[in-house]
């Protein structure tokens, strides 16, 4: 008989941070030609959080990360890998935001790096953490989705500035011997032929910093909103159908469907296509807007802190973003219930 006992990757804890400053729809009414009614009807967003001028992506990521570490019942010394998903890093080249977050948490001499997958970043991180743990290379991986999206938003462009907000979410993915705690499956995918749907043209090798970049506002996010919307509904629905079918699970048996919080109408269309009940679908887009890589973990944290998410309950993540990238994950919550 073999002595081999499999190692499973488990989603051990969740933490999040939302900056204090609120940017409401009525604030935006005085900045661009829009109305609270239009924004609410077309997106479901009421308000979003904006980081302070001296509050950076790494500050938000470190705060979310510390909560996740504490709630996992481990110490910073137990973390053996730190990965951050962000498209709004502290520095666009180096050092990585993961390195800065590690230092802020006092985690040293441990592998740390960033990934760029826009709104799909956090679910991409789950696939990475799972692979590192199940191969036996790491035991406690800190994954962080953090964005200061306000730093790349043009607050004169009504087509984008109404959508985005700042924030961070983090989780500890740990090695476990218990199969019932295992992350069941992760699907992560991309199609670069849609790269122009969502793009920040500068800074980068195509458009290094120059007067032209400043004059033409190439440092701001540009989006083909309507095309992105249609593709998002199609892709998000298809991806969930595939992951559920592959794992022989019915949509009605998932207590927590946590889609990327980009637009209420996208979430509603996907939920309806999957025949999800209202009580299954998690919604935070109204109060945070689209926080990109932080969107999914901020939503998980929300149901955790409200007592809605309990130990052992199954979660289904479904996300879509610039790249284009998309990803879904099926996983039980393996942490302790919220204690207040
Ligand atoms: N206020 C008032 N009118 C507006 C506003 C606004 N804030 N924004 C656009 N409009 C106008 C347009 O100018 C247009 O006017 P026109 O008909 O006179 O030309 C009209 O409203 C309709 O514009 P559409 O772009 O067709 O509006 P739509 O219903 O598609 O809503 C929105 C726009 C909210 C941006 C939507 O397309 C959307 O949510 N798209 C998806 C965003 C997304 O999911 N992104 C993915 C992830 S993000 C990431 O990865 C970082």
């Amino acid at each position: 008989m073999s002595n081999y006992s499999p190692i499973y990757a488990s989603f051990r804890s969740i933490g999040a941070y939302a900056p204090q400053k609120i940017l409401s729809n009525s604030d935006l009414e005085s900045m661009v030609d829009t109305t609270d009614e239009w924004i609410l009807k077309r997106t479901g967003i009421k308000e979003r959080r904006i980081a302070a001028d001296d509050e950076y992506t790494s500050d938000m990521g470190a705060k979310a990360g510390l909560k996740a570490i504490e709630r996992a019942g481990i110490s910073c010394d137990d973390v053996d890998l730190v990965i951050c998903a962000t498209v709004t890093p502290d520095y666009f080249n180096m050092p990585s935001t993961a390195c800065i977050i590690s230092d802020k948490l006092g985690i040293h001499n441990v592998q740390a790096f960033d990934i760029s997958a826009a709104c799909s970043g956090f679910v991409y991180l789950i696939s990475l953490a799972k692979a590192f743990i199940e191969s036996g290379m790491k035991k406690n991986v800190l994954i962080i989705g953090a964005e200061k999206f306000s730093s790349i938003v043009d607050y004169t462009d009504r087509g984008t500035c109404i959508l985005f907000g700042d924030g961070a979410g983090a989780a500890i993915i740990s090695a476990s011997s218990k199969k019932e705690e295992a992350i069941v499956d992760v699907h992560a995918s991309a199609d670069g032929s849609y790269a122009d749907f969502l793009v920040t043209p500068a800074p980068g090798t195509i458009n290094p910093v120059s007067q032209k970049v400043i004059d033409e506002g190439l440092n701001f996010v540009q989006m083909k909103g309507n095309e992105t919307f249609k593709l998002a509904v199609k892709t998000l629905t298809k991806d969930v159908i595939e992951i559920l079918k592959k794992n022989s699970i019915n949509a009605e048996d998932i207590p927590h469907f946590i889609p990327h919080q980009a637009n209420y109408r996208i979430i509603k269309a996907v939920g309806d296509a999957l025949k999800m009940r209202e009580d299954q679908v998690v919604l935070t887009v109204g109060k945070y807007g689209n926080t990109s890589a932080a969107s999914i973990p901020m939503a998980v944290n929300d149901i955790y802190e409200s007592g809605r998410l309990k130990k052992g309950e199954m979660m289904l993540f479904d996300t879509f973003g610039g790249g284009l990238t998309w990803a879904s994950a099926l996983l039980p919550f393996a942490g302790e219930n919220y204690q207040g």
Side-chain angles (χ1 to χ4, degrees):
M1 228 171 82
S2 147
N3 285 329
Y4 172 73
S5 45
I7 307 165
Y8 301 105
S10 70
F11 192 97
R12 180 70 51 198
S13 66
I14 186 72
Y17 172 79
Q20 272 194 329
K21 186 182 164 191
I22 291 175
L23 181 68
S24 69
N25 290 351
S26 60
D27 294 330
L28 286 163
E29 282 179 349
S30 62
M31 295 160 70
V32 287
D33 181 14
T34 192
T35 60
D36 172 43
E37 194 197 351
W38 192 96
I39 301 172
L40 207 51
K41 200 168 148 213
R42 297 291 184 113
T43 70
I45 302 169
K46 296 187 184 85
E47 56 190 40
R48 60 295 284 146
R49 300 297 181 94
I50 303 294
D53 288 347
D54 61 352
E55 187 173 39
Y56 309 116
T57 301
S58 63
D59 295 314
M60 297 186 279
K63 282 181 179 153
L66 186 59
K67 274 197 179 159
I69 290 167
E70 286 168 356
R71 288 171 175 172
I74 61 172
S75 79
C76 291
D77 294 340
D78 299 317
V79 173
D80 50 10
L81 172 64
V82 179
I83 334 175
C84 179
T86 184
V87 288
T88 50
D90 283 15
Y91 300 95
F92 267 96
N93 309 101
M94 56 186 153
S96 73
T97 303
C99 282
I100 301 169
I101 291 172
S102 300
D103 182 49
K104 286 182 175 164
L105 292 173
I107 299 172
H108 296 119
N109 306 316
V110 156
Q111 187 177 358
F113 60 93
D114 288 355
I115 67 151
S116 167
C119 305
S120 308
F122 189 76
V123 185
Y124 266 52
L125 290 184
I126 293 175
S127 73
L128 282 177
K130 184 176 187 299
F132 268 105
I133 286 173
E134 293 182 353
S135 64
M137 285 177 73
K138 305 289 177 191
K139 287 193 168 58
N140 292 301
V141 181
L142 173 60
I143 58 170
I144 305 148
E147 303 281 11
K148 186 170 180 175
F149 223 91
S150 59
S151 66
I152 57 163
V153 165
D154 176 359
Y155 284 96
T156 65
D157 174 12
R158 68 177 182 172
T160 53
C161 74
I162 58 156
L163 297 172
F164 297 101
D166 300 336
I172 289 288
I173 311 293
S174 288
S176 170
S177 57
K178 297 180 187 154
K179 191 162 187 225
E180 66 274 19
E181 293 189 340
I183 293 168
V184 178
D185 203 359
V186 192
H187 277 188
S189 208
D191 187 343
S193 65
Y194 296 105
D196 62 335
F197 275 32
L198 265 152
V199 58
T200 312
T205 55
I206 294 180
N207 293 300
V209 175
S210 65
Q211 193 56 47
K212 177 178 176 257
V213 166
I214 310 292
D215 292 345
E216 295 179 14
L218 300 178
N219 51 313
F220 294 125
V221 65
Q222 299 173 359
M223 183 176 70
K224 292 187 175 171
N226 205 265
E227 290 91 329
T228 308
F229 186 104
K230 287 180 201 148
L231 201 62
V233 173
K234 214 166 88 184
T235 311
L236 287 166
T237 307
K238 187 167 166 276
D239 213 30
V240 164
I241 290 170
E242 279 172 13
I243 199 169
L244 290 176
K245 191 171 170 213
K246 185 174 158 218
N247 293 283
S248 307
I249 294 178
N250 294 322
E252 67 260 32
D253 297 333
I254 303 287
H256 307 292
F257 175 49
I258 305 162
H260 174 44
Q261 305 288 315
N263 183 320
Y264 173 71
R265 284 161 55 221
I266 297 178
I267 297 171
K268 175 90 172 77
V270 174
D272 287 352
L274 296 167
K275 299 193 171 58
M276 291 277 183
R277 300 180 311 273
E278 247 176 53
D279 64 282
Q280 292 176 278
V281 183
V282 175
L283 274 177
T284 54
V285 68
K287 61 179 179 180
Y288 297 137
N290 180 350
T291 58
S292 185
S295 153
I296 297 256
M298 287 176 84
V300 176
N301 187 68
D302 219 68
I303 54 168
Y304 176 71
E305 290 190 353
S306 69
R308 191 171 146 193
L309 176 64
K310 298 276 192 321
K311 190 180 173 82
E313 288 180 343
M314 193 62 81
M315 305 181 287
L316 173 60
F317 300 162
D318 191 18
T319 188
F320 181 93
L324 292 176
T325 57
W326 60 94
S328 58
L330 199 52
L331 64 168
F333 179 64
E336 296 307 318
N337 293 346
Y338 184 61
Q339 301 297 328

